[in-house]
Amino acid sequence: MTTPDHPSPASPPPVSAAKDRIYRSPLGLAGGVLLLLVVLWLGFDALVKGHGRTPWLALAGMILIVPLVIAFTLRPAVFAGEERLRVRNPFRVVTLPWGEVAALRSGYSNEVVAKSGTKYQLWAIPVSLRARKKAARRQQRAAADAARGVTPGGGSGALGPGGLGLGGFGLGGFGLRVPDTGPTRAETDKAMDELRELLERQGGTEPAQGEVTVRWAYEVAAPAVAGAVLLAILLAVG
């Protein structure tokens, strides 16, 4: 007697790839929202209360300015996956498989260099020289404290570095020393370090090979050009 055949259980769905890491500029997003609010407020006020050519000029100005504000503040982003790096800049989207990335450089701006030698700026990861200097000062103070045997809490045991140290209280300054627990690395530099780690780990893998592709953002450029043309015509016939 044979037992009835049972259908084999369905195979488990393939494990989806890890989600891309997304890098954006919080200050850029906040500034973009504020600029949009101001532009729209002034523009709609001119549309409703303006006379003569003023509403038309306001409309043309909004058509020109709003896409540019979005392009330079809200749009920039960097998407880092296991197979590729996708850079969304104001007017184009660049997709670089990790196998085609030669280096990630940080100077006065952050940029990715393809093996062909072409450089693409990372608009979404701007360099803050002020934050970099603050992080460097914290790092120097932390190294100096470590050399003196100072604990992160500000003391070095029963006696602090100044003599009577309770939580950093010393006779040298008769003051309470507040330990600097801030980051010793700027946030944008941390982001670049993470991207370099991904490049080192994934650059030689088979799925991370391919060609660099560049797509221009016509959905951003076209409205801005239309607004500029309309504004030029209104000013010319005025």
Side-chain angles (χ1 to χ4, degrees):
M1 180 177 179
T2 59
T3 58
D5 295 334
H6 294 284
S8 59
S11 58
V15 179
S16 58
K19 292 183 178 180
D20 291 351
R21 303 179 188 179
I22 303 176
Y23 300 91
R24 308 188 76 169
S25 171
L27 291 179
L29 294 174
V33 170
L34 290 177
L35 281 175
L36 283 177
L37 291 176
V38 172
V39 170
L40 293 176
W41 173 48
L42 295 176
F44 281 109
D45 184 71
L47 283 175
V48 174
K49 300 179 181 179
H51 302 283
R53 293 189 310 138
T54 301
W56 289 102
L57 290 173
L59 179 62
M62 285 195 297
I63 296 176
L64 170 63
I65 296 174
V66 169
L68 294 179
V69 171
I70 293 175
F72 285 96
T73 60
L74 305 183
R75 176 179 169 81
V78 173
F79 304 87
E82 296 296 320
E83 299 178 1
R84 68 191 187 280
L85 178 69
R86 187 159 61 94
V87 181
R88 192 171 70 189
N89 282 342
F91 295 109
R92 60 182 178 177
V93 178
V94 183
T95 303
L96 303 100
W98 288 116
E100 289 297 318
V101 176
L104 288 154
R105 295 178 181 173
S106 296
Y108 291 105
S109 65
N110 291 317
E111 60 187 17
V112 56
V113 183
K115 288 186 175 179
S116 62
T118 308
K119 301 176 183 178
Y120 304 99
Q121 187 174 349
L122 304 179
W123 281 79
I125 311 179
V127 170
S128 173
L129 297 180
R130 181 171 177 268
R132 187 176 286 175
K133 290 178 181 178
K134 288 176 63 177
R137 286 196 298 268
R138 291 194 186 101
Q139 193 171 12
Q140 291 174 357
R141 283 195 292 266
D145 289 345
R148 294 197 305 267
V150 180
T151 62
S156 58
L159 297 178
L164 294 177
L166 297 176
F169 181 82
L171 293 178
F174 291 97
L176 184 64
R177 179 180 179 274
V178 179
D180 191 349
T181 57
T184 57
R185 189 83 167 139
E187 291 298 326
T188 54
D189 291 337
K190 289 181 182 179
M192 293 299 290
D193 290 342
E194 292 177 2
L195 294 179
R196 292 189 184 98
E197 290 176 3
L198 269 174
L199 172 61
E200 184 178 355
R201 186 172 69 246
Q202 300 296 127
T205 61
E206 183 65 26
Q209 309 304 314
E211 296 182 357
V212 178
T213 60
V214 179
R215 182 182 69 83
W216 291 94
Y218 296 105
E219 66 275 10
V220 175
V225 171
V229 171
L230 179 58
L231 187 61
I233 293 175
L234 290 173
L235 294 175
V237 300

